[in-house]
Amino acid sequence: MDNAEIDELVRDAELVAVAGVRLGRFVDPIPFLDSVRRVRDGQAAGGAPAEAIADLQKQLNGAVTSIAPITLYHLKRGWRPFRSGGGSLAAWVFVFGCVLLLISTSWLTLVYDRSVVQLGIAQELHGARAQELMFNLYGIMKSNKKTQPPFRLTELDGIAHDAYIKLIIELYQINKKQLSFSSTLGTLHKIWNPLYLISPKLASYFSNEPYIDYSKSGSEIVSNVKNAYSSSSWSGYGPEVRVDPKFLMKDVCDEDVPGAGTPEKAPLAEVEAQKPQCGLDRELSEIADLMQVLRLGFDPRVPSNRLEDMFSLQSQIVVLGNWLLPALYGMIGAMIFYLRRFLDPSDPNPSGPVMVYRVILGGFAGIVAVWLVSSTGSDAGTKVSLSVFGLAFIVGFSTDLFFQILDTTVSRIQAAVTSKPA
């Protein structure tokens, strides 16, 4: 080594010695300080011995390891321990990003929690047997010849009265749950698709659902629904269209029946005898009228099918619970790790790229942690408990320890596979 390189080695060693002694990072600083002194005195005398230079290099390598995460890069740029100074622009940008990430994570956690609840309600509604209850109620009314308004409860006999009350209570409970479910589900869809905040039409285009303006009049809404779902671009997408079969059957049942009464209008019994579908439509219409009188949102001509809602909610829960939220909680853990570094005067603030890399690594670590601890039951991949998100946060905070455990596990597996039996 020439004199310039030796002088630089001594300066680096002096910087590390000052930082290490002030921070108390050296277990025994005497050998390192003596090595620095011998090389410095040798240079002043005309040339340091090669053994002293080699010993200093060895001592310097150990000293740099002792003061980590402080590096020679920080010391050469003027950083010193316990020296106050204003925060850098990268630090303030990082803090602002932490606030945004925290808000986003709390919002998506709320969406996830509500989606899990809505999935349970959808499963209950799917097996609620509302159609069966409607037909049973209609059967009671018909057996008592009360299928046409007004419906007087006092005119029913004792057994029919009790059965009627029981069916009414069940239908009202299902209807209340269904109204709450539909309202919350619509809100979740809007939250899940932030384009609704910009333009509902744009959101409907990307969500494969036709845009219908419900502020119009009734006839215009019906026309918009028919036009939207009849186009080929919306074929097979969107919610079920509540087409009233009464309107589809009206023209058929009003047609003249040959040989039945006058040409102007055929008797109802003769029409139903030759066209059975008209009799079925009449009974369905009577059930619909009964539900309308009871102010229940059921229609026997539109079966309740929540499978599409269940599949949509399950997909949403999987994306949030297995990917987005574990990554966000892991990133929050990594960010808090660096926020603590900002408050510690004994450690330098990390650079912007290093913070970004560590936060992204924390997100990946959170996802991997959820993969490793998620349940393997029937609900696997659908529901992830909030405690698992807490684990993702811890893993993001201590990514070094997490990946060290992974490396150790892989090394042991590799040793077990490659080892030869005795």
Side-chain angles (χ1 to χ4, degrees), residues 132-152:
E132 179 182 345
L133 297 177
M134 280 188 290
F135 281 101
N136 290 342
L137 183 63
Y138 176 74
I140 294 175
M141 303 299 292
K142 188 174 182 179
S143 63
N144 287 266
K145 299 181 180 180
K146 297 297 178 184
T147 58
Q148 298 294 333
F151 304 105
R152 291 187 176 88

Side-chain angles (χ1 to χ4, degrees), residues 108 112 116 192 313-329 363-376 379-385 388-389 392:
L108 289 178
Y112 175 82
V116 172
W192 184 244
L313 288 170
Q314 285 176 348
S315 299
Q316 186 169 315
I317 290 173
V318 168
V319 173
L320 286 174
N322 287 2
W323 294 92
L324 287 182
L325 285 177
L328 291 176
Y329 277 98
F364 284 120
I367 295 174
V368 174
V370 170
W371 288 351
L372 296 177
V373 301
S374 293
S375 61
T376 57
D379 291 337
T382 301
K383 300 178 183 178
V384 179
S385 62
V388 178
F389 297 149

Side-chain angles (χ1 to χ4, degrees), residues 129-141 167 171 280 283-284 287 291 300-301:
R129 303 181 299 110
Q131 308 293 327
E132 179 182 345
L133 297 177
M134 280 188 290
F135 281 101
N136 290 342
L137 183 63
Y138 176 74
I140 294 175
M141 303 299 292
L167 292 173
L171 285 172
L280 177 62
E283 291 193 350
L284 294 177
I287 298 176
M291 294 298 104
R301 297 160 296 193

Side-chain angles (χ1 to χ4, degrees), residues 128-400:
R129 303 181 299 110
Q131 308 293 327
E132 179 182 345
L133 297 177
M134 280 188 290
F135 281 101
N136 290 342
L137 183 63
Y138 176 74
I140 294 175
M141 303 299 292
K142 188 174 182 179
S143 63
N144 287 266
K145 299 181 180 180
K146 297 297 178 184
T147 58
Q148 298 294 333
F151 304 105
R152 291 187 176 88
L153 183 61
T154 56
E155 298 179 4
L156 298 175
D157 57 36
I159 299 177
H161 178 274
D162 294 341
Y164 176 88
I165 294 297
K166 182 178 180 181
L167 292 173
I168 286 293
I169 292 176
E170 291 186 24
L171 285 172
Y172 271 112
Q173 290 176 345
I174 296 173
N175 183 66
K176 183 178 180 181
K177 187 176 296 185
Q178 183 168 275
L179 292 176
S180 175
F181 173 82
S182 300
S183 176
T184 306
L185 185 64
T187 303
L188 285 176
H189 283 326
K190 292 182 180 180
I191 294 175
W192 184 244
N193 190 352
L195 291 176
Y196 272 104
L197 301 176
I198 304 174
S199 172
K201 291 185 178 180
L202 184 63
S204 66
Y205 176 80
F206 285 101
S207 62
N208 286 331
E209 293 183 2
Y211 172 73
I212 301 171
D213 188 0
Y214 289 97
S215 63
K216 304 294 183 180
S217 63
S219 59
E220 290 176 321
I221 292 177
V222 173
S223 177
N224 290 338
V225 170
K226 290 181 179 180
N227 293 335
Y229 283 98
S230 61
S231 61
S232 58
S233 59
W234 300 114
S235 178
Y237 295 99
E240 297 177 356
V241 184
R242 295 179 62 87
V243 180
D244 190 346
K246 179 167 56 178
F247 298 111
L248 302 179
M249 298 295 299
K250 185 176 184 302
D251 296 336
V252 176
C253 297
D254 286 347
E255 291 179 352
D256 294 336
V257 178
T262 63
E264 289 78 13
K265 187 175 182 181
L268 181 60
E270 296 183 15
V271 172
E272 293 182 356
Q274 297 192 31
K275 298 180 179 180
Q277 65 269 31
C278 296
L280 177 62
D281 177 67
R282 178 179 58 80
E283 291 193 350
L284 294 177
S285 298
E286 290 177 355
I287 298 176
D289 293 338
L290 176 61
M291 294 298 104
Q292 186 175 2
V293 170
L294 296 174
R295 289 178 172 81
L296 294 171
F298 300 115
D299 193 328
R301 297 160 296 193
V302 184
S304 177
N305 184 6
R306 293 295 175 182
L307 285 177
E308 183 179 355
D309 296 330
M310 291 166 57
F311 292 149
S312 175
L313 288 170
Q314 285 176 348
S315 299
Q316 186 169 315
I317 290 173
V318 168
V319 173
L320 286 174
N322 287 2
W323 294 92
L324 287 182
L325 285 177
L328 291 176
Y329 277 98
M331 294 170 71
I332 288 178
M335 284 186 164
I336 291 181
F337 174 82
Y338 278 124
L339 289 176
R340 291 185 61 196
R341 287 277 300 273
F342 293 156
L343 299 177
D344 188 356
S346 63
D347 287 333
N349 292 341
S351 61
V354 171
M355 290 188 292
V356 172
Y357 298 153
R358 174 68 180 255
V359 170
I360 294 176
L361 191 62
F364 284 120
I367 295 174
V368 174
V370 170
W371 288 351
L372 296 177
V373 301
S374 293
S375 61
T376 57
S378 59
D379 291 337
T382 301
K383 300 178 183 178
V384 179
S385 62
L386 294 180
S387 60
V388 178
F389 297 149
L391 175 63
F393 167 81
I394 295 175
V395 168
F397 183 82
S398 55
T399 54
D400 296 335

